[in-house]
Amino acid sequence: MATQRISGSEAVIKSLLEEGVDTIFGYPGGAIMPIYDALYDYDQQVTHYLTRHEQGAIHAAEGYAKVTGKVGVCFATSGPGATNLITGLADAQIDSIPLVCITGQVASPLLGTDAFQESDVVGITMPVTKWNYQVTNAEEIPEAIAKAFHIALTGRPGPVLLDIAKDAQFAQFDFEYKKCTKIRSYLPEYPVDPFQVKAAADIINAAKKPIVLFGHGVIIAHAEDELKEFIEKTGIPAAWTLLGLSALPTDHPLNVGMLGMHGNYGPNIKTNEADVVISIGMRFDDRVTGKVAAYARQAKIIHLEIDPAEINKIIKADAPVLGNAKKSLRMLIDNVNPNSHREWLDEFRACDKIEYDKVILHDIHPQKVGLTMGEVVRIASEKTNHEAILVTDVGQQQMIASRYFQFKNSRSNVTSGGLGTMGYALPAAMGAKIGKPERVVFAMAGDGGFQMTIQELGTIAQYNLDIKIIVLNNNFLGMVRQWQQLFFEKRYSFTEMKNPDFVGIAKAYGLASQKVTSRDQLENAVQEMLDHQGPYVLEVVVEKEDNVFPMIPTGASISDILLEP
Amino acid sequence: MKQEYIITVFSEDHIGLLSRITIIFTRRKINIDSLTVSESAISGIFKFTIVINETPDRVQKVVGQLEKVVDVMKAFYNTNEEMIYQEIALYKVSTEFLFESDKVEKIVRNSGARILELTREYVVIEKTGHSDETQQLFDELNVFGVTQFIRSGRVAITRSNIERLSVFLKERDAMLEQVD
Ligand SMILES: Cc1ncc(C[n+]2csc(CCOP(=O)(O)OP(=O)(O)O)c2C)c(N)n1
Ligand SMILES: [Mg+2]
């Protein structure tokens, strides 16, 4: 490729184009102005979305990455711009989301002098990035960006940050771009070892009561088809983690529901009755395991995992299978015998019946006067034929939505799992909509989380992002209130909120909006929202003190999951 | 049960890597007893030698996390018995004690230490050994009064013939080829 003499700033944009980037979320400021200036000439090739806060930009990039499988790109200026990214970086790090974040930095002679808007961004972001690097010479830009994309997307993905000094943005140099495909100190994934596969297959072939637990890794590895083929061949019931949601259709006969603290009754208690646990692309988070000492002790554990540090980290694996889930599942499929586990599966269905009668029925078809979150979620899912993308915030509404929303397609659930970041839904939904404009995108948030990033309504209005926003308003920091009720003698310490007029706020931003307070309005309101062309804010006032059940109290065994208080 | 482990991290020579490595310990509230950085026998590849006191389970997990650092090639952990290791210590004592009696000189000679520098006011003594040995010399000299003392981080090598990393690098190359 011929070289061209251009500025560091232009090299940033050209390098991004070389990586196939057409979407950037960001917020400008002094130290990144040269890059923004270069961007001005490239508006035909790349669309930049100006958010209302850098946290909004990075969560949008996460939402975009999750629904597309591509790297999310985000710009911010030095100092406060960069520090506003931290929550998003931590979120992307723990949930393995590929991001490339570019921050401006003061000119290199000023580094370490407490210059205006200087902060040690590389130092601050070190624990919350997969890799970061400070660029002080324009010549380094193409290689740094090429490396950033390679690292962000391969292996176990994660966020990468490049901090580019202002003088490097201005400097002219001969630009040449070469993609990065290999770094000698970095092995993205281990080749799958056929002996490990064989050992796992032998255990599976002898299993009487096996269960598959699958997580985000299946989606990241694009291994949905292999997962389906594997469980269908072996007849093994499969349960998803919060981040595994949508990797398998909800109504698949072998899908037995969600694991974890507010997951389904069957998969939780049955994990402790299974003779073999096959975990695929999941990391035994404490919200899934409950008390580790009482977790799946009776079972042989098979762990398909790309990250060697996850194997034996929480739960010791009897048969680890290191590598990319798509490849290891393919090999496993070839080594397992066709089977079915009818009676064992029936045990799950019996559990479902118990859970339905005790919990689900009252959540999604309530008889009481007040509205429940569950019925709102059910209606939203039904009215979109279970084909929408669900973006949730954090708290009760997140758990209820994850329990009752149904999925037909993978990459349709966007939520903050590991970090539990309130304020995530609204900006992440922007990225999801931009990444998948043809899909209906719901953003579901509580009254608390909605107000953490409510200013992104400005972005949604400016770009007319057709997101269906549902605010499930219980006038409480509901999930915290639930814990206060159950474990702190109902001492509601600072969890009740005096909320603003959400409809008024939406209208002030120029968005269509409506408030629903009773059941007879609900279906029509959801329909109106869906019929409306463009963004819509639907506030639903729900019961103030409803609780999410089932529940595994912190520190309890999954066998002691509660169906009611 | 906790015991002393020597962790050896092989890495690229990049700015900031020391921080990336130490925060892994900090996050888990593991104290680093000693840390030494130097180039290895393979040019361009650096070695961090880190001593911690931990349980086998925790040391294993920490090593797993160290290997996740992009610029880290490989990390090993060993017990003291598995490695040959040394530390170096410098002691400063007032010269008058050297001339008052032959005691200081005897201590130095018996401990295999040596005198590095002798001035009218002070004498600088150097000793190489394990920390209990350098500590013992400190205790003996301190009867007279040690005015300055410093002990280096540990350096350690394995009992095998070559850098362990050479084998690893060959295997890694093959794997990088295999995984497109
Ligand atoms: C940024 C952040 N701060 C605090 C919390 C702790 N937290 C978890 S759930 C929750 C309550 C959320 O309230 P709301 O958004 O109204 O949702 P609800 O539980 O009522 O559905 C809080 C405060 C958090 N997860 N994230
Ligand atoms: Mg609330």
Side-chain angles (χ1 to χ4, degrees):
Chain A
M1 190 181 133
T3 65
Q4 258 178 299
R5 203 160 174 79
I6 57 172
S7 69
S9 304
E10 198 177 349
V12 169
I13 309 299
K14 277 184 167 296
S15 302
L16 294 175
L17 292 176
E18 290 279 349
E19 292 294 339
V21 173
D22 57 15
T23 305
I24 299 170
F25 304 92
Y27 208 98
I32 198 170
M33 280 184 66
I35 293 178
Y36 269 87
D37 188 61
L39 187 60
Y40 198 65
D41 293 326
Y42 286 86
D43 64 336
Q44 295 302 307
Q45 287 104 308
V46 48
T47 311
H48 175 279
Y49 293 89
L50 173 67
T51 56
R52 294 298 177 270
H53 188 295
E54 289 84 356
Q55 185 185 356
I58 190 164
H59 289 329
E62 290 185 82
Y64 178 86
K66 271 201 181 163
V67 300
T68 61
K70 295 198 277 187
V71 175
V73 179
C74 156
F75 283 178
T77 192
S78 67
T83 56
N84 274 346
L85 295 180
I86 305 299
T87 302
L89 288 170
D91 192 274
Q93 173 82 341
I94 200 163
D95 280 352
S96 311
I97 318 265
L99 297 184
V100 169
C101 300
I102 292 179
T103 50
Q105 180 55 282
V106 301
S108 55
L110 297 177
L111 287 170
T113 64
D114 300 326
F116 178 62
Q117 293 193 330
E118 186 206 357
S119 64
D120 176 9
V121 174
V122 166
I124 296 172
T125 60
M126 216 170 252
V128 289
T129 50
K130 186 173 173 188
W131 183 68
N132 65 7
Y133 185 70
Q134 186 174 64
V135 176
T136 48
N137 287 309
E139 286 79 5
E140 300 174 278
I141 287 171
E143 196 192 330
I145 291 181
K147 240 180 120 170
F149 276 81
H150 177 62
I151 294 168
L153 195 59
T154 57
R156 179 174 180 176
V160 167
L161 181 136
L162 294 177
D163 192 38
I164 308 182
K166 202 170 178 181
D167 47 339
Q169 299 175 34
F170 277 125
Q172 300 275 323
F173 75 112
D174 292 326
F175 176 77
E176 194 180 357
Y177 199 79
K178 216 172 119 242
K179 278 210 174 198
C180 171
T181 53
K182 212 158 84 169
I183 298 170
R184 72 169 175 176
S185 62
Y186 168 70
L187 182 69
E189 58 188 63
Y190 282 79
V192 183
D193 178 351
F195 291 102
Q196 289 194 335
V197 173
K198 184 76 181 49
D202 287 346
I203 295 173
I204 293 168
N205 287 337
K208 295 277 171 287
K209 294 179 163 195
I211 181 170
V212 164
L213 317 179
F214 65 96
H216 197 194
V218 170
I219 298 173
I220 294 170
H222 303 277
E224 294 92 344
D225 290 345
E226 287 78 5
L227 171 74
K228 197 155 152 273
E229 197 180 329
F230 171 71
I231 59 173
E232 285 173 359
K233 182 170 180 184
T234 54
I236 301 178
W240 52 30
T241 67
L242 180 64
L243 292 186
L245 250 64
S246 87
L248 189 71
T250 306
D251 63 1
H252 190 284
L254 289 167
N255 188 339
V256 293
M258 185 165 83
L259 297 164
M261 184 173 268
H262 294 291
N264 293 111
Y265 183 55
N268 273 308
I269 64 164
K270 293 293 165 192
T271 299
N272 269 0
E273 293 170 22
D275 62 348
V276 174
V277 166
I278 306 148
S279 71
I280 308 173
M282 57 81 81
R283 59 182 176 84
F284 296 107
D285 180 77
D286 54 275
R287 287 299 193 258
V288 162
T289 61
K291 184 180 178 184
V292 171
Y295 183 79
R297 283 297 168 202
Q298 78 297 337
K300 285 217 165 75
I301 310 282
I302 295 168
H303 195 177
L304 277 62
E305 172 60 52
I306 196 162
D307 177 358
E310 288 300 342
I311 289 175
N312 297 337
K313 188 185 84 175
I314 306 289
I315 301 293
K316 197 163 164 5
D318 298 285
V321 182
L322 191 55
N324 179 309
K326 191 176 180 76
K327 297 174 188 170
S328 45
L329 271 172
R330 172 53 50 211
M331 288 164 70
L332 201 53
I333 291 165
D334 294 339
N335 279 275
V336 289
N337 302 331
N339 205 341
S340 83
H341 295 278
R342 282 257 126 252
E343 283 168 23
W344 171 230
L345 188 61
D346 288 345
E347 291 184 34
F348 286 86
R349 297 308 170 204
C351 289
D352 290 349
K353 173 87 177 64
I354 296 170
E355 184 180 343
Y356 189 86
D357 294 345
K358 284 217 145 137
V359 182
I360 300 175
L361 177 67
H362 311 288
D363 276 355
I364 65 176
H365 297 289
Q367 298 295 316
K368 60 184 171 191
V369 176
L371 287 167
T372 65
M373 292 181 177
E375 62 186 315
V376 181
V377 172
R378 174 183 56 80
I379 291 168
S381 187
E382 281 171 2
K383 285 200 177 290
T384 49
N385 198 22
H386 314 304
E387 284 171 346
I389 290 176
L390 171 71
V391 186
T392 49
D393 213 81
V394 170
Q396 291 186 313
Q397 100 293 142
Q398 175 190 35
M399 291 298 114
I400 294 287
S402 305
R403 288 174 52 78
Y404 301 126
F405 204 82
Q406 300 193 28
F407 302 96
K408 284 190 177 157
N409 310 296
S410 185
R411 294 191 183 274
S412 298
N413 176 55
V414 178
T415 198
S416 167
L419 204 65
T421 308
M422 280 174 72
Y424 180 83
L426 200 56
M430 304 189 312
K433 185 68 195 179
I434 290 162
K436 290 282 174 205
E438 70 283 5
R439 303 273 305 272
V440 176
V441 174
F442 284 113
M444 288 202 194
D447 44 324
F450 183 51
Q451 292 184 76
M452 279 208 175
T453 48
I454 195 167
Q455 71 279 8
E456 296 307 333
L457 289 175
T459 314
I460 290 166
Q462 178 168 349
Y463 299 100
N464 194 32
L465 300 173
D466 186 358
I467 302 167
K468 309 307 181 192
I469 301 158
I470 302 181
V471 182
L472 294 164
N473 183 3
N474 53 12
N475 258 272
F476 264 113
L477 297 174
M479 188 55 93
V480 179
R481 186 212 53 75
Q482 174 170 345
W483 284 49
Q484 288 171 334
Q485 178 186 341
L486 299 176
F487 311 117
F488 293 89
E489 297 149 356
K490 236 182 173 183
R491 287 153 54 88
Y492 289 168
S493 180
F494 304 103
T495 43
E496 195 165 8
M497 277 176 297
K498 180 179 186 306
N499 284 324
D501 168 9
F502 290 122
V503 172
I505 288 180
K507 296 230 159 108
Y509 276 106
L511 302 178
S513 183
Q514 184 178 175
K515 178 173 178 172
V516 166
T517 52
S518 68
R519 188 158 297 125
D520 53 341
Q521 308 167 294
L522 182 61
E523 290 229 19
N524 276 340
V526 173
Q527 194 57 53
E528 270 173 48
M529 168 171 71
L530 290 168
D531 291 343
H532 176 81
Q533 304 262 318
Y536 198 101
V537 178
L538 179 65
E539 177 192 354
V540 184
V541 177
V542 296
E543 285 271 291
K544 289 186 76 164
E545 298 186 45
D546 268 358
N547 291 328
V548 186
F549 276 97
M551 179 174 194
I552 305 164
T554 332
S557 158
I558 51 168
S559 301
D560 299 329
I561 185 169
L562 304 172
L563 285 166
E564 54 206 352
Chain B
M1 239 254 306
K2 282 193 182 184
Q3 72 173 99
E4 215 169 72
Y5 284 97
I6 303 170
I7 297 174
T8 314
V9 183
F10 287 89
S11 75
E12 300 287 0
D13 175 23
H14 287 168
I15 292 175
L17 199 46
L18 177 62
S19 290
R20 269 220 179 252
I21 287 174
T22 54
I23 57 174
I24 288 173
F25 295 88
T26 316
R27 177 169 171 196
R28 291 162 183 81
K29 215 169 158 75
I30 297 174
N31 192 37
I32 293 178
D33 293 334
S34 110
L35 186 153
T36 308
V37 190
S38 96
E39 197 165 9
S40 73
I42 308 163
S43 122
I45 291 180
F46 274 64
K47 241 197 251 195
F48 293 76
T49 304
I50 302 162
V51 181
I52 62 168
N53 200 13
E54 258 309 334
T55 60
D57 182 55
R58 295 248 296 170
V59 76
Q60 202 177 334
K61 282 176 186 164
V62 160
V63 164
Q65 295 299 327
L66 288 167
E67 290 190 334
K68 280 177 72 162
V69 176
V70 167
D71 293 321
V72 165
M73 297 179 182
K74 179 78 188 157
F76 298 92
Y77 67 97
N78 293 93
T79 58
N80 290 343
E81 295 70 45
E82 290 166 344
M83 298 200 74
I84 302 160
Y85 64 95
Q86 294 283 281
E87 285 148 29
I88 184 166
L90 302 178
Y91 314 73
K92 189 180 274 183
V93 284
S94 186
T95 307
E96 58 182 294
F97 300 119
L98 201 62
F99 295 121
E100 257 172 24
S101 74
D102 62 353
K103 278 187 185 149
V104 169
E105 206 195 318
K106 263 200 181 133
I107 291 171
V108 170
R109 204 171 325 117
N110 290 343
S111 65
R114 63 176 181 138
I115 287 169
L116 270 192
E117 191 168 307
L118 181 62
T119 73
R120 213 177 301 216
E121 297 100 61
Y122 63 81
V123 49
V124 176
I125 298 159
E126 177 210 292
K127 159 131 187 85
T128 316
H130 292 177
S131 27
D132 52 342
E133 294 165 340
T134 51
Q135 186 60 42
Q136 191 189 333
L137 180 58
F138 177 87
D139 294 341
E140 287 170 18
L141 290 172
N142 207 27
V143 174
F144 303 93
V146 175
T147 57
Q148 281 185 38
F149 172 70
I150 178 83
R151 185 188 292 131
S152 74
R154 185 176 295 184
V155 294
I157 51 178
T158 60
R159 297 181 192 279
S160 77
N161 209 4
I162 47 165
E163 287 282 15
R164 282 174 285 186
L165 198 69
S166 330
V167 184
F168 168 81
L169 282 177
K170 280 209 195 83
E171 290 170 2
R172 172 59 68 89
D173 266 353
M175 281 193 206
L176 278 169
E177 290 306 322
Q178 221 175 316
V179 187
D180 35 83

